[in-house]
Amino acid sequence: MTVISRVVLSRVVLRLAAAAAVACAISQSSFALDYPTKTIRLVVGVAAGGANDTVARLLAQTLSERLGQPVVVENRPGAGGNIGLEAVVNAPPDGYTALFATSANALSVAFYDKANVNFARDIAPVTSLVRGPLIMAVNPSFPARTIPEFIAYAKANPGKINMASAGIGNTTHVAGELFMMLTGTKFTHVPYRGGAPAVTDLISGQVQVYFDGVSGSLDHVRSGRLRALGVTTAERADVLPSVPSIAEFVPGYEAGGWYGIGVPRNVPAEVVDKLNREINASLADPNLKTRLADIGYATSGSSPAEFGSMIAREVEKWAKVAKSAGLATAN
């Protein structure tokens, strides 16, 4: 082949590559403009019936109306949320499979460091949804009626307070670990297979304290079956305005539960942006805001970048708590 022929061939190859790149970009843009054209799966990493599932289904209903396509909740519980996470990570990166992300996913990075998937690495953030407090709840017969009284009792009775959680590495677990770390107290951790049995044993007096999601214990607090000593967010919660935040007595304490939406890492940016716009618009819907407020959650919404920054902060924070508490990695 002559030098001239090689030059011509090289130019042809470059033109074909450029044309293919343009065609690919046009194809992706067209795909994003048409999206969605079919059902979207919203994967929830816990069993049906809990607070996560309730919020996911409320969002799915409003989002379906905005997108003009069904948004179907699919429960994939297990392994601290990693079974649901893996289902999303391994799905085609086309925007038709999304993760209902929770604070438990950020915790799983510390507790499941040898897992096949990694929430912070493998999921592209779309937007935050809501943030809500946990309630530090005790049985009404418990002698302490305030946070300072509880701390004093715990220090006088080390290891004699049983702390329930909805499972090892769950938000309800590490919220208690953070409390112990900042107050110098020590509880005996009693993990349950979910929040409902933990609440049942707290009401019956089998355990003494539980850092429960607001939607799980709110009705029991209002009815007097449980006593709320504090809420875990930095500020007081609108649904329990007379209950102090733990931070009022324990500086630096904060452990709210949060939910958001993520998709597989390589979903086109145009699709991520469209989902972000439509989900944030859904969160602004007065009916959805009211229904979420009724169960103790304030809507947030964010850009993908803002949600990504929040995830990074959460992963770093809870990794430090897990290390300080000497919690074994579960793999």
Side-chain angles (χ1 to χ4, degrees), residues 141-208:
S141 64
F142 192 77
R145 302 187 66 86
T146 65
I147 297 291
E149 288 178 1
F150 184 93
I151 294 172
Y153 181 91
K155 288 184 175 180
N157 298 274
K160 293 184 179 180
I161 294 178
N162 292 326
M163 180 190 75
S165 82
I168 296 173
N170 188 276
T171 307
T172 60
H173 174 200
V174 296
E177 294 287 352
L178 179 62
F179 185 91
M180 288 188 277
M181 185 178 78
L182 294 179
T183 60
T185 54
K186 183 64 178 176
F187 314 143
T188 299
H189 177 215
V190 182
Y192 289 80
R193 292 182 178 274
V199 171
T200 298
D201 276 8
L202 183 64
I203 291 173
S204 69
Q206 300 301 308
V207 291
Q208 285 71 54

Side-chain angles (χ1 to χ4, degrees), residues 37 41-42 47-49 55 57 66-67 79 88 105 131 143 153 170 172 174 187 210 250-251 272-273 289 291 321 331:
T37 60
R41 290 192 306 149
L42 181 57
V55 175
R57 291 177 189 278
R66 290 197 59 85
L67 293 175
V88 175
N105 291 120
R131 192 172 182 90
Y153 181 91
N170 188 276
T172 60
V174 296
F187 314 143
Y210 180 34
V250 184
V272 171
D273 290 342
K289 287 174 72 75
R291 295 181 72 180
V321 173
N331 290 290

Side-chain angles (χ1 to χ4, degrees), residues 26 37 53 68 111 250 299:
I26 293 173
T37 60
D53 186 63
F111 281 87
V250 184
T299 56

